[in-house]
Amino acid sequence: KNFTIIVPERWEVIENNSFISNVPKDTVVAFRNDVKNEVFTSNVNVSQTALEKEILSSDFGKGSLKITKDTIVNFKEISGQEFEYNNNGTNIPAYVAEFEGKSTASGPIVHFKQVFIVKGKTAYTITAAYTPTEAENVVKTTDEMLNSLTLN
C-alpha cells in the first residue's frame, strides 16, 4: 500500500481479499466500527485508482460523484469543495464531498463523506459512511480517520 491511515484499535480491518462481491474493485482496505448496527454499521474505506494521466483532485472527485449519483438511490448532495490536504506537512490540493443516499430502494439512508486526492497518476478516495443518526463520537472518529491518511 502507498498510504497509512490511523484506525481505532477496536475497529475491524477488512483487507481486499476478504471483501464481499458488491465492494468496488478499486477498494484496497475497509474498516468497520466495532459497534455493530442491525441497520447499517459505520465504516471507512480507501480506494486507489490508476489514472492514465495526472488530473486535478477536484476533477477526479467531481467525476466520481457523477458516477455515484447514478448508482445511489435518492442521492442528495450536501456539499463539495476544494481544500488543501495536509500530507505529512506538505499540502496537496484535494476535494471533499458530503452526500446522502441509499444503496437500495429499501435500504437505510446513509451519510457519506469522501475525500479525493490525486498524487501523480494515482487517485485516492477515502470514504466514511454512517447513518444520519450515528453517535457523534463515531462521526468524529470517522473524520479523524479521513484526516489521518498519509500518502507515502
Side-chain angles (χ1 to χ4, degrees):
K1 292 186 183 86
N2 303 333
F3 61 87
T4 55
I5 187 168
I6 298 169
V7 181
E9 58 185 52
R10 310 177 312 281
W11 282 46
E12 178 184 3
V13 177
I14 307 162
E15 297 289 345
N16 60 356
N17 57 357
S18 304
F19 290 156
I20 49 176
S21 60
N22 64 351
V23 174
K25 65 176 174 42
D26 288 344
T27 305
V28 288
V29 66
F31 311 98
R32 191 165 45 198
N33 189 353
D34 62 319
V35 179
K36 305 292 182 262
N37 181 312
E38 58 191 44
V39 177
F40 185 85
T41 300
S42 299
N43 65 82
V44 171
N45 70 64
V46 181
S47 300
Q48 219 171 298
T49 307
L51 303 172
E52 289 179 23
K53 62 179 191 208
E54 286 188 44
I55 60 171
L56 296 172
S57 298
S58 55
D59 290 344
F60 178 76
K62 290 172 185 173
S64 296
L65 286 171
K66 279 186 183 156
I67 296 165
T68 301
K69 200 177 221 173
D70 294 337
T71 57
I72 298 266
V73 180
N74 297 343
F75 178 91
K76 182 178 118 195
E77 189 166 351
I78 296 166
S79 65
Q81 65 186 35
E82 295 176 41
F83 75 107
E84 294 291 316
Y85 191 88
N86 181 347
N87 185 58
N88 240 0
T90 304
N91 283 349
I92 298 177
Y95 190 78
V96 61
E98 283 193 69
F99 56 93
E100 288 183 350
K102 303 174 173 191
S103 54
T104 62
S106 61
I109 293 175
V110 177
H111 186 95
F112 297 90
K113 186 170 186 181
Q114 290 187 309
V115 174
F116 304 94
I117 306 168
V118 174
K119 185 178 181 192
K121 290 186 178 179
T122 305
Y124 299 87
T125 304
I126 311 101
T127 304
Y130 46 86
T131 62
T133 57
E134 182 58 86
E136 201 171 311
N137 65 316
V138 175
V139 173
K140 187 172 182 276
T141 296
T142 63
D143 274 344
E144 289 168 357
M145 291 171 71
L146 289 185
N147 293 316
S148 76
L149 185 89
T150 302
L151 304 178
N152 302 328

